[in-house]
Amino acid sequence: MDIETFWDVIEAARARATSTGELFDEVLVNQLADRPRQEILEYAERFDELHDALYRWDVWAAAYLIGGGCSDDSFMDFRAGVIALGRQWYQRVATDPDSLAGHPDVVQATDVEDRSEVLFYEDVNYAASGAFERITGDADAFYEAWPTFRRADPENDNAVDMGEDFDFDDDNEMSRRLPRLAALFLGSNP
């Protein structure tokens, strides 16, 4: 599955979820379950590539501001949530995490005390395994197929450069690096 097809799958799932009111992750699992196993594995590979590309301190800082804190597990869910937003938002965030200050869900979250659910979408991380389970009836089928599939591409395990680390609890630093998000969640002026 190439990157164009990957984003087509995401956008189709978003469109269906919006039109039917179904949960995005459930629609995504259903759409993936209609594909051959090899394509589901390829989808998971593209997902991992995009997910890993967001494994950066600046993106984590954005998640920290939006969520009112962000553990390493929550950061996995946040990155999945950014992918679930679709290609356009993904590209914005990859280029400038502070652009999330313009996303309607983020703006709405400024009035919510518990923001841990805003853009944090754990179930999206498991769409490929859920689709495998749906078509095989075996909860472990994806995890059994994955190592064999991954051996075919040894370049997949390259370390990610997270960029420059900084203190998420330093309001001045957060305001300097993410001025729009800091203005929303810390009350500082951009």
Side-chain angles (χ1 to χ4, degrees), residues 148-169:
T148 303
F149 175 77
R150 291 292 281 192
R151 269 196 290 274
D153 187 3
E155 294 183 28
N156 279 327
D157 295 323
N158 295 335
V160 175
D161 178 8
M162 292 184 67
E164 183 183 350
D165 187 7
F166 56 96
D167 184 358
F168 297 171
D169 291 318

Side-chain angles (χ1 to χ4, degrees), residues 82-134:
V82 170
I83 292 169
L85 294 176
R87 183 180 210 155
Q88 184 178 49
W89 273 105
Y90 177 89
Q91 289 174 337
R92 284 183 190 174
V93 173
T95 302
D96 176 20
D98 200 35
S99 68
L100 280 168
H103 192 280
D105 291 345
V106 173
V107 172
Q108 239 179 359
T110 59
D111 295 329
V112 178
E113 193 155 324
D114 178 15
R115 301 185 309 264
S116 62
E117 298 296 317
V118 177
L119 302 187
F120 293 78
Y121 207 153
E122 180 180 12
D123 292 340
V124 175
N125 287 309
Y126 308 107
S129 61
F132 244 75
E133 182 177 359
R134 177 96 29 96

